Amino acid sequence: MSELRVRFAPSPTGYLHIGGARTALFNYLLAKKEAGRFILRIEDTDVARSTQESVDAILDAMEWLGLSCDEGPLYQSDRFELYKQKVQQLLDEGKAYRCYCTAEELDAKREKAREEGRKPKYDGTCRNRTDQPDEPYVVRFKLPEDRNEITFVDKIKGSISFQTEELDDLIIQRSDGTPTYNFVVVIDDAEMGINLVIRGDDHINNTPRQILLYEALGYNVPDFAHVPMILGADKKRLSKRHGATSVMAYQKMGYLPEALVNYLVRLGWSFGDEEIFSMADLIEKFSLDRVGRSAGVFNPEKLLWLNGHYIKTGSPEKLAELLKPFLEEKGISINNGPDLVAVVKSLQERSATLIEMANGAVFYFVDVVEYDEKAKAKFLKPDKKDLFEIILNKLGHCEVFSEKQLEAAFAEIMQVTELKFGKVAQPLRVALTGGVPSPGIYEVLQVLGREVSMKRIEQALDSLEG
Ligand code: GLU
């Protein structure tokens, strides 16, 4: 068998959305698994709607997800000359024709068909025209008369048949001379040696037209695999109404690419009841025969759960790097504060996103602790003066804030004050953190360090007296 060649072919008319990312991922995984080639092709023939900004956004998102291509990005806008030649080839062979019908004429015909209960379809007025008036024209592909039915075996959906009478004489070149999607996609897939087309099933109706074009142009027809759509909870096609649909919006919301990759692949593919897959696992296990035939429903809670998993199990050093921009955004300077890796370690268990982690990290970096009103009213009352003095004294005797020394100090505090652990830890936590949800008290003491902790306890003591 020849080398597998697959491609992802986004149109740069917006950001990379969740559905596109999953299509790209499926292509990528299969290429890696089969030691094939993954090609990235930017479909920018619609010059009016394509922007460099969208190209950049798509490339950034793919890089963030780790979906590097083996060839590309190739741009259709570099290939107009080739498309022109192919239009000419079909014209010369009598497989395409110039159509001079005006938009008004076509509208009227469509209207009439509708009135008469017929499917609106081009009636072939210009099919056999031989004159070439000096007027604007489009080029149409002549639907072959000898084909009644087109059947292909989709690698996800199984056998699919279309009646050619449902099809039209497709426009392959617009009146401004630019080629259309169905035409260029065939030329590119063929010329780039693509032998398996994996794409969204919103393109399934295009496939019979494309098959006819492959045949007319003398190309081999590739295999097809149409991936079911992604729906929102209301079973409607996923859109902004359901929340963020842009891949990079998830980065901004503090998601990890591993989580999004894991989530997207499971949305439409399964492997027993396993839920957690690294990219390496996926490259080993992914196959199209385990892709489901029906649409997947986007579940933000599950994505959040997976993200929490990858934060819990992630490398603290790597997470610290990823956390930096989120802290910067909050105006926190990490240069005068505790070790960021230690901060991350203390928060991994309790953060589902990097935003949550950044929020949870703020108290470590403030110069002066700001107390939560309720916590202050409850725990920083004048009657806590003795307790804080004892804490200050006993912790002051710890040479280092090791687990062992802290435990010993706490045992003594509890003994002297005859208070239970929680009754000591709660006011202390307010003194150290201001009263926000935070990691265990020993951890907070250790990450803040002896000097800062003592300073914060003194500050709390002052606030009692004040
Ligand atoms: N450019 C098309 C799109 O973004 C994809 C075409 C294809 O995969 O065949 O929908």
Side-chain angles (χ1 to χ4, degrees), residues 23 57 71 94 193 252 267 272 293 348 391 401 440 450 454 456:
T23 303
E71 292 171 33
K252 290 201 186 74
L267 194 59
R293 288 185 183 198
Q348 271 177 287
I391 292 176
F401 275 5
R450 191 171 182 281
M454 299 300 275
R456 290 189 181 189

Side-chain angles (χ1 to χ4, degrees), residues 22 35 54-55 97 111 124 208 232 240 254 278 285 298 300 307 319 392 400 403 440 444 459:
R22 189 184 54 165
S54 299
V55 172
Y97 60 92
E111 194 47 44
K240 281 192 188 143
S278 67
K285 291 172 178 163
F298 190 74
N307 203 54
L319 289 169
L392 207 52
V400 286
E403 183 99 10
V444 171
Q459 184 205 330

Side-chain angles (χ1 to χ4, degrees), residues 7 9-11 43 181 185 199 203:
R7 52 46 163 202
S11 303
E43 302 214 313
Y181 158 70
V185 81
R199 62 183 170 197
H203 284 290

Side-chain angles (χ1 to χ4, degrees), residues 306-427:
L306 274 168
N307 203 54
H309 166 82
Y310 282 99
I311 288 189
K312 269 194 200 74
T313 56
S315 132
E317 288 76 15
K318 229 175 101 185
L319 289 169
E321 277 311 308
L322 295 174
L323 186 64
K324 277 182 189 168
F326 290 93
L327 290 174
E328 266 159 32
E329 200 156 296
K330 299 182 79 68
I332 289 170
S333 156
I334 53 162
N335 297 328
N336 33 34
D339 172 39
L340 194 56
V341 173
V343 168
V344 165
K345 279 185 186 159
S346 78
L347 295 168
Q348 271 177 287
E349 275 296 327
R350 37 192 320 119
S351 314
T353 67
L354 291 171
I355 296 237
E356 264 183 48
M357 191 179 260
N359 290 339
V362 171
F363 80 85
Y364 282 121
F365 294 93
V366 291
D367 282 334
V368 180
V369 176
E370 249 180 66
Y371 305 119
D372 171 76
E373 280 304 325
K374 275 202 192 124
K376 182 176 176 188
K378 195 161 171 202
F379 296 109
L380 299 188
K381 288 186 298 197
D383 66 357
K384 294 284 190 293
K385 185 162 179 286
D386 288 351
L387 172 63
F388 275 114
E389 273 169 355
I390 295 167
I391 292 176
L392 207 52
N393 177 282
K394 296 294 178 196
L395 289 181
H397 281 100
C398 297
E399 279 153 37
V400 286
F401 275 5
S402 66
E403 183 99 10
K404 217 172 132 202
Q405 293 207 13
L406 288 176
E407 265 173 26
F410 259 73
E412 285 179 34
I413 299 167
M414 284 154 64
Q415 199 193 19
V416 177
T417 59
E418 295 183 345
L419 290 174
K420 291 217 171 80
F421 183 84
K423 298 277 181 209
V424 176
Q426 275 173 320

